[in-house]
Amino acid sequence: MFVDNSDHEYNAGIKMELTPDQLKSTLNQMSKLASRVKYDIDEYNCTDFALDVFNYSRPANPLEIPKYHLTASTAPDGSNTPQGLYKKLVQMQGVSVESPNITIPRVKQWAAKSNVPCN
């Protein structure tokens, strides 16, 4: 489901530019994933979905994040979490060629207001 995230707090972000064709392909991939993968907090959660979509759009340079063990988890190698993503972006911000595309605010930040409805 797409939702309007305007005015939601965020702690880190990474920006990627897409052509219209890349966006269309990425949206189609999102639809495919949503129809075949079942949400599970430790096996396939929102962070897994976001990483799959992000990495689909940039297959030559996939983003891999540290996994963490969740309480009562059955995932033997740990799970992808927002914390792991945050830590990876902090690491990348200082040493990566992608540093200009990474935002790690030092104080609370909120997503910008939308200009159009999210349908």
Side-chain angles (χ1 to χ4, degrees):
M1 168 173 47
F2 281 101
V3 295
D4 182 353
N5 272 335
S6 62
D7 289 332
H8 281 88
E9 182 182 346
Y10 70 93
N11 305 101
I14 185 167
K15 182 174 39 174
M16 177 173 46
E17 292 188 21
L18 300 173
T19 66
D21 286 341
Q22 289 172 317
L23 177 60
K24 183 177 179 179
S25 178
T26 299
L27 292 172
N28 287 335
Q29 178 66 10
M30 291 170 71
S31 181
K32 287 178 191 174
L33 284 172
S35 70
R36 71 170 201 234
V37 180
K38 184 179 178 196
Y39 178 88
D40 182 293
I41 191 68
D42 58 350
E43 296 292 333
Y44 196 86
N45 59 43
C46 56
T47 306
D48 292 298
F49 181 82
L51 283 171
D52 281 352
V53 171
F54 189 81
N55 289 337
Y56 172 83
S57 299
R58 52 183 264 161
N61 188 17
L63 184 61
E64 295 180 17
I65 67 173
K67 293 181 183 274
Y68 289 90
H69 290 280
L70 304 175
T71 305
S73 172
T74 59
D77 297 325
S79 300
N80 286 319
T81 65
Q83 178 185 9
L85 179 57
Y86 176 82
K87 288 190 177 252
K88 180 65 174 186
L89 292 178
V90 167
Q91 174 197 20
M92 289 172 62
Q93 188 183 38
V95 297
S96 172
V97 296
E98 294 184 273
S99 292
N101 296 325
I102 297 172
T103 302
I104 310 288
R106 300 287 180 223
V107 296
K108 283 187 177 183
Q109 294 291 311
W110 288 267
K113 292 234 183 258
S114 296
N115 294 326
V116 296
C118 187
N119 296 347

